Amino acid sequence: MIVRKMIQNLIGWKHRLENASLQFQFHLFYIGMLMVLVPSITIFCYIESQKILYEVVTADIRNLVQKSNQIADSKLQLAKEYVFGFLADEDTRRLLAESENTDDQGRLYFLDGELKKVADRYFLSSPDIYSVNIMTERYNFGISLNQNYIPYASFEKSELYKIGKESRKRLSWVPTYKFYEMYGQPELEQFTNIDYYYMFSMVKNLRNEKTPTSKGYQILTINFTDGFWDDVFLTIPEYQNIEYFIIDPNGCIISHTDKNRIGTVIHADWPSQICEEKSGSGMVEMGGKKWMISYSKSTVTGWTSVFAIDQQEFHGLYLSQLRKSSFMIFTMIIISTAAFSLAIRRLVVHPVMDLTDQVALVEDNPDHRIREKGSAEFRNLIHTYNRMNDNVQKLTMQNYETIRLYQESKLKELNLQLNPHFIYNVLNLLNLELIREDELECSELVDDVIFMMRYILDSDNVTEELQTDLEYTLHYIDVINRRYDGIYQLKIDVDPQLCKTKVPKFMLQPIVENVFKHAFIHEQEDRYIKIVCCKRGCNRYFSVEDNGSGMDMDQIKRINEGKEGSVGLNMTRERVKYLYGDEAALYAELTPDGGTRICIILPDTAIEPVFQG
C-alpha cells in the first residue's frame, strides 16, 4: 500500500509538472541541477585544485632554487677561473718565487704591492670576492680587494690554515665561519654588523704549484662574505614565508635566512640523502615541524641549496584561501543562478538565440552589423554591441600600432644601452694595451675620457654631489692641459664640508671651458686656473678664476645681464635659476691682477633644489 501510494504521488507530480508553465519547469529543472551538480563540481574542483596547488608550488620553488643555484655556481666558477688565471700568470710565479728567497720586510712589502697589481687584473672585476690573501710563514700578502684584515699571528692556529695545508692539487671550500672564532678575535663578537662577521672561503696550498719548496707554507685564500648568498637567494617575490639555507652532507648549515642558525647542525638523515642527489623536492621534518622543501646541489662547492615552506603555514595561508574561495564561488553560483532564473522569461529565449546567430556571423566577418530589432531593451543591447564592435576594431588597430611603436622604442633603447657599453669595453681594452706597452701617459688620458663618458652617460640625475662633479671637471682639465703641454697651473681650494652637497650637474666644467677658449688670447707665462668652493654665511660659494687677459667693465655688465657670454655660461645660469630660484646667482667680476672670476652662489645644503616653473 505504501509503495502504491508513493507511485501514485510520483505520477501525480509528473502530470502537474507537464501541465505547469515553462517558466516553472525551467526554474524547477535549474534548481535541481544546482542542488546536485554545483556541490559536486565545487568539491571536485577543491580536491583537484589542492593537488594542482601542491604541484605548482613545488615546481615553482624547485625552479627557483635551481635557477638561484645556477647563478651562485656561475659566480663561484668564475671566481675559480680567476684563481687559475692568477696562479698561471708568469708574474705571479716570479713574485712568489722571489718572496721565498728574502726575509727583508721592505722587499716583501714591495712584492706585496707588485702582487696586488697582478691580482687586480683578475679579481678587481669581480664584485663577489671580498678579499684575496696569500699567507706565508714570512708575510701576509694582502692582495685583497678590500684590505689586509686577516690577523697574521693567529692564522696558523686557525682551521683555515689546517684545511689549506691539507688541500693538494685542488681548491678546497671552507664552509661559513664566524671571523672572530676562526682567528681568535673575541673582541669582534659584539660587532655583528661588520660585513665580514660571517665568511666562507676557497683555499689552495700553493706548494703544489711550480714554486720553490721550503719548510714554510704558501696558502691562497679567496674570501667571500655571507652576503654573497643573500644577493643570490634572498629576493623571492613569488612566495612569502620561504626560508632558504645551504647545507653540507653532514647537515651543517652553511648559510640561513636566520643568521643565528649558521654553523648549527641538522640532526636527521635527510640532509645526507638530499646531498647525494642533484636536485629534487620532498617533505621532511625539521624542528618538530613538517616542511615542504626543494633543493639543488652545487656543482662547484658540493653544497646543497634548500628552499623550505612550513607545511602548517602553507595550509593556513594557501589552502584556507582556497577553501574560502571555493565556498564563495559556490554561494555566488547559487545566488546568481537563482537570480537569473527568476529574471529569465520565455520570450527572451528566441531573441537571445537569434542574437547568438548574429554574433557568430560577426566572428567570421568583423564588419558585419547586427540589425536592431525586438524590444527596446534588445534594440539598445544590439546598438551597444555594434558600437562596442566598432570600438574593438579601432582598439585593435591602435593596439597593433602601439605594439609596433613600443617594439621600435625598445630597440632604440637597447641600442642606446649597447653603444656606450661597447665604447667602454673598447676604451678599457685600449687602456690595457697602453699599460702593457708602458704608455702610461696615454693610459691616463684614456682613463680621463672613460670617467667623463661614464659621468655623462650613466646617470640622468639633474644634480650630483660636488665631489663627483668636481672630479669630472678635473678630468676635463687634465685632458685639455695635456693638449697644451701642461702650461696651465691648477689651484684648488675646496671646503671638505661641501663635498657631499648637491650641485647642478656640469656646473663647473662649462666655466672652465670658457677659460681655455677665451681667457688666454695672448701668449703669456704662469697661466693658472683657480677653483674655490666654500661657505659664505648661509650660502655656498663657487668660483673659477684665471689670470688671463680679462674683460672690460662693459663686457662684465653685459655678461651679468645675460646679454653676452658663451652658450655654456648662459645655460649654467639658467639651470641654477631653474633649480634654486632667486636665491641662486651667477655673475662675473675682475680679479686684482686683471683676470676674470666667474662666481656661483647657491643656497645652503639644507635647502633642497626647487624647480621654478
Side-chain angles (χ1 to χ4, degrees):
M1 294 292 295
I2 296 175
V3 175
R4 182 181 298 176
K5 189 172 182 180
M6 290 179 61
I7 294 175
Q8 290 177 351
N9 289 335
L10 289 174
I11 294 174
W13 276 106
K14 178 183 177 184
H15 289 305
R16 292 191 188 94
L17 183 61
E18 290 175 349
N19 296 326
S21 65
L22 181 61
Q23 178 178 338
F24 177 80
Q25 294 179 11
F26 179 81
H27 288 167
L28 186 62
F29 175 78
Y30 217 74
I31 292 173
M33 293 284 289
L34 287 176
M35 297 298 293
V36 177
L37 287 182
V38 173
S40 301
I41 293 174
T42 303
I43 294 172
F44 175 80
C45 289
Y46 172 78
I47 295 173
E48 291 300 315
S49 298
Q50 182 177 350
K51 295 178 181 178
I52 294 172
L53 183 60
Y54 269 107
E55 294 173 359
V56 170
V57 172
T58 302
D60 285 352
I61 297 177
R62 184 167 58 247
N63 290 335
L64 281 174
V65 71
Q66 288 176 348
K67 291 179 181 178
S68 300
N69 213 32
Q70 289 171 2
I71 294 173
D73 279 357
S74 65
K75 291 174 176 285
L76 295 176
Q77 183 62 38
L78 185 61
K80 288 180 63 176
E81 293 174 2
Y82 287 152
V83 171
F84 293 143
F86 172 69
L87 294 179
D89 195 294
E90 290 297 328
D91 290 337
T92 303
R93 295 176 181 272
R94 175 179 56 80
L95 294 170
L96 289 176
E98 187 175 351
S99 71
E100 291 289 306
N101 300 321
T102 181
D103 290 327
D104 181 16
Q105 291 297 311
R107 184 61 183 169
L108 290 172
Y109 180 82
F110 171 78
L111 294 176
D112 188 13
E114 293 299 305
L115 277 171
K116 172 83 167 60
K117 295 178 182 178
V118 179
D120 283 348
R121 303 177 198 164
Y122 300 92
F123 303 115
L124 194 60
S125 60
S126 174
D128 302 309
I129 297 176
Y130 183 78
S131 65
V132 181
N133 292 78
I134 296 180
M135 309 299 296
T136 71
E137 75 284 357
R138 295 181 179 86
Y139 197 84
N140 174 5
F141 290 94
I143 54 177
S144 63
L145 304 180
N146 288 290
Q147 56 184 342
N148 186 357
Y149 67 98
I150 294 181
Y152 180 74
S154 58
F155 177 73
E156 295 185 12
K157 302 177 183 178
S158 66
E159 188 68 18
L160 203 67
Y161 168 78
K162 296 177 183 178
I163 296 174
K165 289 283 284 186
E166 294 172 0
S167 61
R168 303 294 181 184
K169 296 184 180 180
R170 63 183 177 84
L171 291 169
S172 296
W173 290 94
V174 181
T176 303
Y177 54 87
K178 294 179 181 179
F179 180 87
Y180 75 91
E181 290 181 349
M182 177 66 73
Y183 296 110
Q185 303 286 317
E187 65 274 9
L188 296 180
E189 181 178 2
Q190 59 181 324
F191 300 103
T192 58
N193 58 342
I194 58 176
D195 51 1
Y196 56 89
Y197 191 85
Y198 292 103
M199 303 194 73
F200 67 98
S201 302
M202 175 171 54
V203 297
K204 180 172 178 60
N205 189 345
L206 301 186
R207 289 303 180 196
N208 295 305
E209 300 296 318
K210 296 179 180 179
T211 55
T213 59
S214 68
K215 296 181 180 180
Y217 58 88
Q218 284 184 345
I219 298 176
L220 172 67
T221 66
I222 310 297
N223 305 303
F224 306 79
T225 65
D226 186 67
F228 171 87
W229 303 115
D230 292 342
D231 293 340
V232 175
F233 294 106
L234 197 57
T235 305
I236 309 171
E238 284 80 359
Y239 296 98
Q240 298 177 350
N241 303 323
I242 286 185
E243 289 190 7
Y244 89 85
F245 53 92
I246 301 169
I247 58 174
D248 64 11
N250 298 322
C252 180
I253 297 178
I254 296 166
S255 183
H256 199 286
T257 311
D258 182 3
K259 301 304 179 185
N260 294 324
R261 298 189 62 182
I262 295 176
T264 61
V265 178
I266 300 175
H267 298 287
D269 294 331
W270 62 265
S272 59
Q273 295 172 0
I274 68 171
C275 287
E276 294 176 357
E277 301 176 12
K278 184 177 180 181
S279 63
S281 301
M283 192 76 67
V284 300
E285 186 170 350
M286 184 169 52
K289 296 181 179 180
K290 292 280 189 179
W291 294 80
M292 297 170 54
I293 65 168
S294 292
Y295 52 90
S296 177
K297 185 176 182 179
S298 170
T299 58
V300 179
T301 62
W303 302 332
T304 299
S305 301
V306 183
F307 281 7
I309 301 180
D310 186 349
Q311 187 183 37
Q312 276 189 331
E313 289 190 9
F314 177 83
H315 286 171
L317 181 63
Y318 297 106
L319 296 185
S320 63
Q321 293 179 358
L322 182 60
R323 285 192 292 267
K324 291 178 182 178
S325 299
S326 300
F327 178 77
M328 289 179 63
I329 292 172
F330 173 77
T331 304
M332 290 174 63
I333 290 175
I334 292 179
I335 296 174
S336 301
T337 306
F340 279 119
S341 65
L342 293 174
I344 292 175
R345 295 292 183 268
R346 183 178 177 181
L347 296 177
V348 174
V349 176
H350 292 295
V352 168
M353 295 300 297
D354 182 60
L355 180 60
T356 303
D357 294 336
Q358 293 295 319
V359 170
L361 294 177
V362 173
E363 291 180 355
D364 296 330
N365 180 16
D367 295 329
H368 175 72
R369 294 184 63 82
I370 301 175
R371 186 167 63 88
E372 299 178 7
K373 64 178 183 179
S375 62
E377 290 80 4
F378 268 94
R379 288 198 302 272
N380 183 54
L381 177 63
I382 295 172
H383 175 75
T384 303
Y385 180 86
N386 287 330
R387 187 173 60 185
M388 181 183 67
N389 186 52
D390 294 339
N391 292 334
V392 168
Q393 300 304 315
K394 294 178 182 178
L395 290 174
T396 301
M397 295 302 297
Q398 292 175 0
N399 186 53
Y400 170 80
E401 185 66 19
T402 301
I403 293 174
R404 185 182 67 81
L405 294 175
Y406 174 78
Q407 291 174 342
E408 291 180 358
S409 66
K410 291 296 292 182
L411 184 60
K412 291 178 181 178
E413 180 182 345
L414 290 173
N415 288 335
L416 290 174
Q417 293 174 354
L418 287 173
N419 290 338
H421 182 71
F422 170 76
I423 295 173
Y424 296 154
N425 288 341
V426 171
L427 289 175
N428 282 322
L429 289 174
L430 175 61
N431 194 16
L432 289 174
E433 287 298 321
L434 291 173
I435 293 174
R436 292 192 184 101
E437 295 298 328
D438 204 26
E439 295 290 338
L440 298 183
E441 185 174 353
C442 293
S443 173
E444 292 174 356
L445 182 60
V446 172
D447 279 339
D448 289 334
V449 174
I450 292 174
F451 181 91
M452 292 171 64
M453 288 189 62
R454 287 192 182 279
Y455 186 75
I456 292 171
L457 299 175
D458 285 1
S459 173
D460 295 329
N461 295 336
V462 177
T463 60
E464 287 286 354
E465 290 182 355
L466 173 63
Q467 181 177 343
T468 305
D469 194 73
L470 182 59
E471 187 177 1
Y472 166 78
T473 304
L474 295 180
H475 279 285
Y476 171 79
I477 293 174
D478 188 50
V479 171
I480 301 302
N481 206 13
R482 290 176 187 275
R483 174 187 174 188
Y484 293 104
D485 298 326
I487 64 174
Y488 293 93
Q489 180 184 2
L490 179 62
K491 301 178 181 180
I492 301 177
D493 182 10
V494 179
D495 186 349
Q497 296 181 359
L498 298 183
C499 289
K500 294 298 182 180
T501 62
K502 295 288 187 178
V503 298
K505 192 173 182 180
F506 307 114
M507 182 180 73
L508 298 175
Q509 184 269 339
I511 301 174
V512 173
E513 183 179 0
N514 272 357
V515 174
F516 284 112
K517 286 184 176 181
H518 307 295
F520 300 100
I521 302 174
H522 308 294
E523 293 290 334
Q524 71 178 75
E525 297 181 356
D526 298 326
R527 303 182 181 187
Y528 75 81
I529 300 174
K530 183 177 181 180
I531 298 176
V532 176
C533 306
C534 62
K535 288 191 67 174
R536 290 189 176 179
C538 296
N539 295 321
R540 292 176 289 163
Y541 173 85
F542 309 90
S543 69
V544 177
E545 176 184 329
D546 63 76
N547 63 338
S549 56
M551 295 180 286
D552 57 40
M553 293 305 298
D554 289 337
Q555 285 182 295
I556 293 291
K557 182 179 179 181
R558 288 195 297 273
I559 288 176
N560 292 337
E561 291 175 352
K563 298 178 180 179
E564 191 172 320
S566 66
V567 175
L569 187 64
N570 289 327
M571 288 184 65
T572 301
R573 177 187 288 108
E574 291 177 4
R575 290 170 62 233
V576 166
K577 286 286 187 180
Y578 185 76
L579 287 171
Y580 297 93
D582 294 333
E583 295 183 13
L586 185 150
Y587 61 90
E589 62 183 16
L590 296 178
T591 63
D593 58 0
T596 306
R597 182 187 299 117
I598 303 298
C599 306
I600 299 177
I601 305 296
L602 299 182
D604 190 22
T605 55
I607 301 176
E608 292 294 330
V610 178
F611 294 92
Q612 301 293 331

